[in-house]
Amino acid sequence: MKWGKLVANLNNATHAITDYWLERGMADPQMRDLMREVREEGLRVLDAAGIAVEPPAGEPSPIRIREMTEKLKLPPKPSRSAADVPEEQRTYASMWQDLYLGRRSSEADFLNGEIVRLGRELGMPTPYNSALLEIVNRMFDTGLKPGIYTPAELSALIKFS
């Protein structure tokens, strides 16, 4: 369960970098693709390391990260505009909140950094998590606020680096 939650939280950095709250991210096709890529990379590394991310089939679990990740391939569900969600009803990732409030430490080393570390040990590239870790740590180090890249800019930066 803890590893599944880690994979789910890999996109805390994605949300902080793009200034997207969770509802907005789930409504944006480009952001959904980016979030899926980040999670799939994490899952590949954990699979190669022999780390289970979910309990055995049939056991109850509030997080089925593989199923949640697959659903990101689907188009967003039609609903009212995510931009119209009142600010007090938005769900912001904890890392977004830390940046917004000007805190100087981040959980990124324990989330994205763990995938990068395991990937390095296994000789596996981790371009998504490496880029997220580098960017969000720079944001914390320099006191930048959320939103330095759009999902499209961030995706392009990762793919062409």
Side-chain angles (χ1 to χ4, degrees):
M1 286 296 300
K2 289 181 182 180
W3 288 101
K5 185 168 174 144
L6 179 138
V7 173
N9 285 326
L10 291 174
N11 280 302
N12 284 1
T14 312
H15 285 89
I17 292 166
T18 60
D19 193 25
Y20 272 44
W21 52 94
L22 276 67
E23 297 85 1
R24 183 178 179 198
M26 291 304 289
D28 182 305
Q30 285 183 317
M31 183 66 154
R32 289 172 68 92
D33 286 344
L34 182 56
M35 291 188 306
R36 180 183 48 76
E37 293 283 358
V38 170
R39 282 187 185 171
E40 286 178 347
E41 180 179 274
L43 288 168
R44 282 191 301 275
V45 169
L46 294 175
D47 287 346
I51 297 171
V53 295
E54 296 177 339
E59 284 192 25
S61 174
I63 298 175
R64 293 285 180 190
I65 195 62
R66 292 182 193 283
E67 182 181 316
M68 291 167 59
T69 301
E70 279 298 308
K71 286 182 179 178
L72 290 172
K73 293 178 180 177
L74 303 172
K77 292 180 181 176
S79 65
R80 69 180 183 161
S81 171
D84 295 334
V85 173
E87 190 170 347
E88 66 276 1
Q89 293 179 12
R90 295 174 184 171
T91 308
Y92 288 96
S94 54
M95 203 175 301
W96 181 98
Q97 294 175 43
D98 290 340
L99 275 175
Y100 182 80
L101 295 171
R103 295 183 180 128
R104 299 300 246 183
S105 64
S106 158
E107 63 197 358
D109 289 330
F110 302 104
L111 299 171
N112 308 88
E114 187 64 15
I115 297 301
V116 172
R117 184 187 66 73
L118 283 169
R120 192 176 307 123
E121 285 178 13
L122 296 166
M124 296 178 69
T126 56
Y128 285 91
N129 284 279
S130 294
L132 294 177
L133 181 63
E134 178 188 331
I135 294 165
V136 84
N137 279 343
R138 181 171 27 102
M139 291 173 75
F140 275 96
D141 289 344
T142 60
L144 293 173
K145 296 292 184 200
I148 64 170
Y149 296 115
T150 67
E153 291 168 338
L154 181 56
S155 186
L157 183 72
I158 294 166
K159 288 179 181 173
F160 298 109
S161 61

